[in-house]
Every structure is written in structure tokens, then in C-alpha cells.
Amino acid sequence: MSKPIVAIVGRPNVGKSMLFNKLIGQRLSIVEDTPGVTRDRIYGECEWCGRKFTLVDTGGIEPRTDSQILTFMREQAQIAIENATVIIFLTDIKTGLTASDQEVANMLLRSRKPIVLAVNKMDSVGAPNPDYYEFYNLGLGDPVAVSAVHGHGTGDLLDACVAYFPDEEEAEEESDVLKVAIIGKPNVGKSSLTNRILGQERVIVSNVAGTTRDAIDSYFENETGKYVFIDTAGMRKKSRIEESIEKYSVLRATMAIDRADVCLIMIDATEGVTDTKVAGLAHEAGKACIIVVNKWDLVEKDGKTMDKMREDIRRDLSYMTYAPILFISAATGQRVPRLFELINYVHSQACTRITTGMLNNVLEDAQTRVQPPTDKGKRLKIYYMTQVGVCPPHFVIFCNDRQLFHFSYQRYIENCIRNVFGLEGTPIILSIRQKGDKEE
Ligand code: GDP
Ligand code: GDP
């Protein structure tokens, strides 16, 4: 099930990043360091009143400009708007209501998404600045007064957003349809694969009308199952665009990954791995993955070509050794049918539930074969392991001292789990708890 998305939109300098950081607060999870993944976040997980959602910061819309950067930013904001469940339209009491605000409002209204209007920089409590009332002229209802710096009003703001979220049961409905994101650099063959699939399978609906959010999704079904392919063709090359806006260029990929059950990480066989960023994003997001090597028809092969390429990929994407590799040709259709079986397979692996009894047998066995590490005479003691979640499988391990549970031993335990249960194609999460930790 995909989480609701809340996008913060507004002119530059109204305080969007500051609000984003305030709302994300301490909740921004610290994840394993993956090479090539941008740390400069514009995308984060939030929770309010028990509802989890994704918060997106957009670069800022300046309607009256044709500067290259601002035009680019506007395009990125448009992507966020298309994908959003609710839009926070942020304005600024210091500048008051401007003509540009009115234009941004018109653009937002065209999206037909629910809009929550907020006026930022209302730092002092007490009677509001009279300029506040001007914002009623936008015709978007009561403006929520906030101060991103102090955090005033953010509770009201989130209440207003959550009120627009679909019921959780409603959101659950589409669950027998697998969402598949095809991600990778431009020109690796993402659209060719989509076209190949849509061309040969029984297409039920393409470009579902009426649901703007899914306007770029292609739905179809065949004898293996029901699928939605999420288009990421809009991903940009890291070209001449300035560094400062580089972070916005991965927005569409991130959004596609977030909504997907399975990610196809596509590589051009004639080039090999030239970019580890998008694969890293999928890994970090905990998604089931398949590495798809496309344009296999163009490669001159001898008996060792496939093994050699497999080795190279394992080296370059070393944090993803769990992902199966499939060599295809979108042009000729070679092994494309096999892709569906693999998609179903890795998804079922990601949904695996393992009983506590079985897990603890593995744990015991693992410790007999390789003793847990010691430090200054103190030995790591592992008491117990249990699974707390799926997609990806999430395990909690209880021990005497977290510091002793070195990364290499975690890796070892992970490998022992994988040796027994497979879990092919899916990352897994190990959370280490020690005595005295609070129960969540
Ligand atoms: P963005 O371009 O919309 O992301 O805006 P920023 O978050 O970068 O903020 C622009 C400027 O407004 C910065 O100088 C912030 O310090 C300031 N600012 C943001 N929020 C507030 C606020 O709640 N009160 C005040 N007084 N200043 C703020
Ligand atoms: P995208 O930017 O990732 O969506 O890539 P496209 O689907 O537009 O493909 C880029 C180019 O590669 C096009 O000229 C395609 O015809 C070509 N292409 C894609 N897949 C294959 C393939 O399997 N074999 C060959 N020979 N060419 C391919």
C-alpha cells in the first residue's frame, strides 16, 4: 500500500525547507550509508495522529520567470503536485499576498488536489498581523498561521492535511495489483520495455483517465498477474544543471520507487553499471528489486560474457547482492516473459513471514558455527530474534550490548537467514535492541 504524499509548494523563500525540516524533525531515519545516494533530503517520512505519510519539499515556484533554473524547479514542483495526495500551499506574511501567490494558487487549483493554505513567519503569538486576512482573497478557505522557525501552528497544519487522507481500508483495496517501477538512467530502454510489454500483453487500460495521479501509470494483466508499470521516463540526466538543484532531479525516481512494490533497476548491457544512485534509492527504500540488463541483443557474446557481466554488477552494486539479475532485450522480447515470473517471485519473497521458532533455530546454529565477537573480555550475547514486519522483512534481535554487535557479525547473521529462507530479491532490516531499550 502506498502512503499518502504531502507536497509543500510555494514561491522561493517563503520558508518551505525550514517547514520541511521542522515537520520531519527527529523522525528522519538514519539509514545504512549507500554509495551515491544524495544525503540532501527533500523527501522524508512523517507521522501524525497515527497516520504515516511522505513529505516532499519542492524547490519553489516563481511563475514570472524564464530563467533556466527556475523553470526546471517549476517542472519538478509539477511532478510533486501530480503525485501528491494533499498540497500545502505556503505563503509568507512578511511579503504579504503577492501576484505570484495568486498565480501559484491558480496552478494548484488546476491540479484539483486538496490544498491547505498556510501563512508562514507568523512568529509572534496573540492577535494576528492584519495582513493575514488578505490571504482569504485566494479563495482557499481559512489560512493556517504557522511559524516554521518556532513550530507554532504546525499541529493545525498537519490536522488539516490528514483530514484529506483516504481511509486506510480504502487505500488497501488495490492490493492484488503489483506496482512495478522501471528505473535507470535515460536511454537504457525503460520506455522500450514498457512498450514491448503493453504491445504484447492484453492491455486493459492504458493511461487511466480521470486519476491525474496515475496518469503516467500503465495498468495491464496477463496470466501471471495484474500489474501497474510506473513510468519514470521523466528522470533527467545530470547534465549542465547546477549542483544546487541536482537534488530535485531524482524526485520522480524517488516517488516512483516509493509507490512501487518491485523495482526493476535497468542497466544498458553495452555500458554496464554507470550510475549507482537510483539502485541505492531503491535499496534504501527497502523495495524488492530485480537488476535488468537490457539490450542484450547488442552484446557480442562468448561463453563467459554473462558471467563476467554478472561479476561486474555484483562488484558495482555490492550492497544489493540479493537482487536477481536478468538479461533481456526490450527490442527482441528475449526473456521478457521471464520477467513477470521474477517480479512475482521477488514480491512473494519480500512478503515472507518466518516464525520466531524457526528464526531462533537459525540463530542458535549460526552462533555455534561462528562465535559472537568479544571486546575487552566481554562477549556479545544474542538472546532472541523475531520478525516484526514484511516488505521488506524486518527482524528485531535482542542482545546484551549493541556495541558488540559489529556490522560484520550482522552481515553474517543476515547471510545465515538468507541461506535458510532465501529472501531473494528483497533487502532485509535487522534492528538490534539491547536490555533496557524501550519497547516500541
Ligand atoms: P524556501 O525557499 O521556501 O525553501 O525558504 P527557506 O526555508 O529557505 O526560508 C527562506 C528564509 O525565510 C530563510 O532566511 C529562513 O530563515 C526564513 N524563514 C523561514 N521560516 C521562517 C519563520 O517561520 N519565521 C521567520 N521569521 N523566518 C522564517
Ligand atoms: P529510456 O530513456 O530509458 O526510456 O530509453 P528508451 O526506451 O527511449 O530507449 C533508448 C534507445 O535504446 C532507443 O533508441 C531504443 O530503440 C534503444 N533500445 C531500447 N531497448 C533496446 C534493446 O533491447 N535492444 C536494442 N538494440 N536497442 C534498444
Side-chain angles (χ1 to χ4, degrees), residues 38 43 60 184 284 294 301 312 373 379 387 403:
T38 169
Y43 204 82
E284 271 200 13
N294 187 35
K301 302 161 198 83
D312 290 348
R379 185 175 294 282
Q387 183 174 359
Q403 300 300 328

Side-chain angles (χ1 to χ4, degrees), residues 76-94:
Q76 298 305 312
Q78 194 62 52
I79 294 171
I81 292 166
E82 279 165 25
N83 284 280
T85 317
V86 182
I87 296 162
I88 295 177
F89 175 25
L90 196 64
T91 57
D92 182 344
I93 192 76
K94 294 206 165 151

Side-chain angles (χ1 to χ4, degrees), residues 11-19 57 59 94 120-123 146-150:
R11 290 182 293 109
N13 283 319
V14 294
K16 293 181 299 301
S17 334
M18 192 157 281
L19 180 65
D57 178 19
K94 294 206 165 151
N120 190 30
K121 309 193 188 176
M122 307 267 298
D123 300 339
V146 297
S147 164
V149 169
H150 300 297

Side-chain angles (χ1 to χ4, degrees), residues 98-171:
T98 69
S100 295
D101 285 328
Q102 187 66 62
E103 284 174 51
V104 175
N106 293 342
M107 174 177 164
L108 295 179
L109 283 167
R110 256 176 270 133
S111 75
R112 294 162 191 267
K113 296 289 169 102
I115 302 167
V116 175
L117 172 64
V119 183
N120 190 30
K121 309 193 188 176
M122 307 267 298
D123 300 339
S124 51
V125 283
N129 180 329
D131 292 344
Y132 162 82
Y133 297 101
E134 275 184 32
F135 289 93
Y136 276 93
N137 292 333
L138 288 169
L140 294 171
D142 291 330
V144 184
V146 297
S147 164
V149 169
H150 300 297
H152 304 155
T154 49
D156 292 344
L157 184 64
L158 292 175
D159 282 344
C161 292
V162 169
Y164 286 114
F165 289 177
D167 289 344
E168 275 170 293
E169 300 85 67
E170 223 174 276

Side-chain angles (χ1 to χ4, degrees), residues 47-53 155 158-159 162 168:
E47 191 175 334
W48 184 252
C49 294
R51 294 298 303 267
K52 289 199 170 75
F53 62 95
L158 292 175
D159 282 344
V162 169
E168 275 170 293

